Amino acid sequence: MTMVFSVIRKLVLRPTIAISFQKTCMRCLSTRLAEVGILEPPKEHGKAYDTGQLFLHKIFGYRGIVLFPWLAHVYDRDTAAKTDDRTLDDQNTAVGKEVKGKNHMYYQVLIDARDCPHIRAQTEAVTFLGNQDNSRALYAIPGLDYVAHEDILPYTSPESTPIQHELFDKFLLHEPENNPPFVARETLGAWQEKNHPWLQLSDVHRETTEGIRVTVTPFYMGCREAQQTHVYWWRYCVRLENKGLETVQLRERHWRIFSLSGTLETVRGRGVVGQEPVLSPEQPAFQYSSHVSLQAPSGHMWGTYKMERRDGTSFDCKIPPFSLESKSDDNNNPHQFLGS
């Protein structure tokens, strides 16, 4: 599917105009337009969107609805002072000088199922372990995402069910007199309280190399006992975004994983999640999730992606160092999120 980002940019300046998607069918090569609603002026930073707010994703173009906001700490190495001799081969210097985090609003959202097959992002990225101590099950929640405040283009729709998702009617109730006209059901609050340790977004890490910005968000998933040892699990979501004009392709990944137990592991491989995504000005972003386990309650990761230009030359794109921290259920307050 090809999203008309040029049209969306124009509509941001004209909030009373109806939003349309342009979709290209790869099999029949036909194009159709579908009106989805009326664009609203985006809110400034510091003013959060409420539960039930409809939006278009500014980068990936999908339709979505806000479930609840999270206040995260963003560690942006692009704005931090860097030392020229920092290398990724040395564990201590890879972590480097502490980067001060700034509070930033993110949102847990539902993705419209009609758009999931067409976006360059995994749509089953939210996973967590079973709550039972003896369970080794890994649960995946389809059609969920975390979206930064600046990536939301809000809109309104006259439809009572504007988003197609299996959890929409379970979590949200249509109340036309409200603004936004969708409010949280009790089931959404209960789901938040039960699963907030696995859903909570706390830290976001960013770094840009030669116009390619890498954003990493780690999530603690829980601990399981295996062969008389404890294994701690994390999920990490990675977004790669081309902020420049030159097309590049991700060819290799190189990870360093340090555990508090004292081990340092190196992982190399082709591409990511079985793909070697191309980041072009037309399709600048790609997002995926993966998992890591340690036999210690904390550690950290860092690394590089090998990016290849169209002329065959390549460069190493830095993956910002990020901590892997465990936490107990008792230390997680379900009211830490800023929701209704």
Side-chain angles (χ1 to χ4, degrees), residues 15 25 47 78 106 109 126 136 148-149 156 181 185 188 198 205 211 240 253 256 291 303:
C25 176
K47 297 181 180 180
D78 298 334
Y106 278 74
V109 307
V126 177
R136 297 183 180 181
H149 183 88
T156 59
R185 295 180 183 268
L188 177 57
W198 334 116
H205 303 262
L240 299 106
R253 68 188 185 277
R256 307 296 297 276
H291 304 87

Side-chain angles (χ1 to χ4, degrees), residues 140-206:
I141 306 176
L144 287 180
D145 197 8
Y146 294 85
V147 183
H149 183 88
E150 65 272 16
D151 288 341
I152 283 184
L153 295 175
Y155 75 92
T156 59
S157 171
E159 298 181 38
S160 60
T161 310
I163 301 297
Q164 291 187 10
H165 191 286
E166 62 181 10
L167 296 177
F168 184 89
D169 290 331
K170 295 179 181 179
F171 284 171
L172 298 161
L173 177 67
H174 185 225
E175 293 190 355
E177 67 278 7
N178 279 20
N179 185 23
F182 301 96
V183 298
R185 295 180 183 268
E186 291 184 3
T187 50
L188 177 57
W191 181 74
Q192 291 173 341
E193 185 170 356
K194 178 181 179 181
N195 296 310
H196 72 271
W198 334 116
L199 299 173
Q200 181 180 357
L201 181 154
S202 56
D203 296 335
V204 178
H205 303 262
R206 293 176 179 166

Side-chain angles (χ1 to χ4, degrees), residues 51 66-70 106-108 188 191-192 199 337-339:
T51 296
V66 171
L67 294 182
F68 51 88
W70 294 105
Y106 278 74
Y107 300 91
Q108 180 89 66
L188 177 57
W191 181 74
Q192 291 173 341
L199 299 173
F337 51 76
L338 305 177

